[in-house]
Amino acid sequence: MALLLCMKALFGFHMPNYTFKGTPDTGLFDRVVEQARAAEAAGFDLVTVMDHFYQIRGIGRDTEPMLEAYTTLSALAASTSRVKLGTLVTGVTYRNPAMLAKMVTTLDVISKGRAILGIGAAWNEDEHKGYGIEFPPIGQRMDRLDEALTIAKLMFTQDRPSFEGKYYKIDRALNVPRPIQPGGPKILIGGTGEKRTLRLLAQHGDIGHWFGGQMEELKRKQQVFYEHCEAVKRDPSEVQLTLGVSLVLVENEKDGKAILDTLSPERRAMARVATVPQAAELIGKYMDEGFTGFTMNNNIYGTNESIALAGELIKVVNSKTPTAA
């Protein structure tokens, strides 16, 4: 049975794409800022970027532009005022976890309390090879993720924490200035691996990010997550479950076809064309099952007009959503 959460839906604007037709490198970040500000004005709650060094398959060619995540987020913190900021998601292998906790804390200070730590086990072997970063087997990456989450939480909440694991160690680590958010930035864990990832979400996470799919499969994954919560004695209602949705919002079918034609075959196969009322009905079904966060990508919502249309969806959904007491 789903847990019905009486809370406002969280909407995230995800920016995996930095290819803007006719825009030189000198103007690239200006376009990123323009989109982030448009998303903030439209009512999005969260702006995220990928933590990759190469563009990924399904979005574009690996030679297309890719900005480093935390440099970009810090600059966006100075260019926005309300939205939360984070990665979707950081690869655990890319940075020492204590340094990562320091970087996210710094982002929290710069943004005056708007940072989120998004993290996962990493997957893109090509960029690991290209940058000379070790790419251990998945079991070892999951072990590292567990230790990294422990270290991050310690550094967010304690003055001089120490920890020694198999892969990482801190010794009375300083993290000054402290995070602005009480208890530190929320932790978002990406992925739906049933044995390890969902258990780590139950143990450490505040937000889980999954990709949208068939409702029955999502509900099955959700039940596995609930079982992990029971095993670690965690109230699952403390964790917000969010979905990446490939909704193509349109005012007419012609507009939808034009947008679909710009997507890769993989993305096109997952995308669903809908008007704002149709999309609000679909989002409502997910929310009835306990999914209360939704991310939309700038490779679909790449213009101010399309971002504004997504804002109309946000208004409709939240006008029907009771707020938590």
Side-chain angles (χ1 to χ4, degrees):
M1 179 181 295
L3 298 180
L4 302 183
L5 304 180
C6 293
M7 63 170 64
K8 173 179 173 288
L10 180 150
F11 282 91
F13 184 73
H14 183 47
M15 295 195 287
N17 178 53
Y18 298 118
T19 299
F20 306 108
K21 187 176 180 180
T23 301
D25 288 350
T26 53
L28 190 154
F29 185 67
D30 294 335
R31 292 294 303 277
V32 174
V33 170
E34 179 185 358
Q35 289 193 345
R37 287 176 171 169
E40 185 171 66
F44 281 91
D45 308 288
L46 170 66
V47 169
T48 54
V49 299
M50 292 199 300
D51 189 21
H52 284 292
F53 312 125
Y54 299 173
Q55 183 53 277
I56 65 170
R57 57 184 177 269
I59 300 293
R61 299 184 304 276
D62 60 3
T63 55
E64 292 179 1
M66 180 54 55
L67 298 177
E68 192 282 321
Y70 287 96
T71 316
T72 302
L73 289 171
S74 294
L76 286 177
S79 304
T80 56
S81 61
R82 181 185 57 79
V83 288
K84 297 279 189 178
L85 298 164
T87 58
L88 197 62
V89 289
T90 283
V92 69
T93 51
Y94 295 145
R95 299 170 188 82
N96 172 282
M99 177 62 74
L100 176 62
K102 180 68 172 178
M103 293 168 68
V104 175
T105 297
T106 299
L107 177 63
D108 204 49
V109 172
I110 292 170
S111 66
K112 297 179 173 59
R114 294 186 285 133
I116 284 178
L117 169 56
I119 192 167
W123 62 269
N124 194 334
E125 186 173 6
D126 288 346
E127 60 192 9
H128 284 78
K129 288 181 178 178
Y131 276 65
I133 300 170
E134 182 184 3
F135 188 66
I138 183 60
Q140 292 182 29
R141 300 201 308 274
M142 295 304 303
D143 292 341
R144 291 171 189 243
L145 179 58
D146 194 354
E147 291 185 17
L149 288 162
T150 299
I151 288 172
K153 199 66 177 178
L154 287 172
M155 291 185 65
F156 289 162
T157 58
Q158 296 185 16
D159 290 336
R160 298 296 298 264
S162 296
F163 170 84
E164 183 168 358
K166 183 176 180 180
Y167 298 100
Y168 304 117
K169 175 182 177 180
I170 56 173
D171 183 12
R172 302 188 72 245
L174 278 168
N175 189 21
V176 181
R178 307 295 297 147
I180 302 299
Q181 298 177 72
K186 299 293 186 184
I187 294 174
L188 181 155
I189 298 175
T192 57
E194 295 180 16
K195 291 183 178 180
R196 298 291 303 275
T197 305
L198 294 182
R199 186 176 181 88
L200 291 178
L201 177 61
Q203 289 176 306
H204 301 287
D206 302 295
I207 305 168
H209 187 267
W210 305 355
F211 288 105
Q214 295 297 318
M215 184 69 80
E216 288 307 309
E217 176 65 8
L218 289 171
K219 289 170 67 176
R220 191 185 67 77
K221 295 278 188 181
Q222 186 184 55
Q223 185 57 42
V224 172
F225 168 65
Y226 292 164
E227 290 167 3
H228 283 307
C229 286
E230 184 176 2
V232 300
K233 296 180 169 50
R234 178 84 184 274
D235 181 351
S237 68
E238 296 174 0
V239 181
Q240 187 164 20
L241 298 181
T242 69
L243 300 173
V245 292
S246 293
L247 280 172
V248 179
L249 293 178
V250 297
E251 294 181 356
N252 58 67
E253 292 184 4
K254 182 180 178 181
D255 291 342
K257 184 178 185 305
I259 296 173
L260 286 175
D261 287 344
T262 68
L263 303 180
S264 68
E266 300 98 318
R267 295 280 169 173
R268 193 181 307 130
M270 295 187 295
R272 177 169 176 172
V273 175
T275 63
V276 167
Q278 290 169 338
E281 182 179 0
L282 177 63
I283 293 293
K285 291 178 181 177
Y286 284 126
M287 293 186 70
D288 287 344
E289 297 298 337
F291 298 96
T292 57
F294 308 92
T295 59
M296 301 175 177
N297 288 9
N298 77 334
N299 65 319
I300 296 177
Y301 301 92
T303 66
N304 289 350
E305 291 77 15
S306 60
I307 294 171
L309 190 59
E312 291 301 314
L313 172 62
I314 294 170
K315 290 176 185 176
V316 171
V317 171
N318 284 328
S319 71
K320 299 177 180 179
T321 306
T323 56

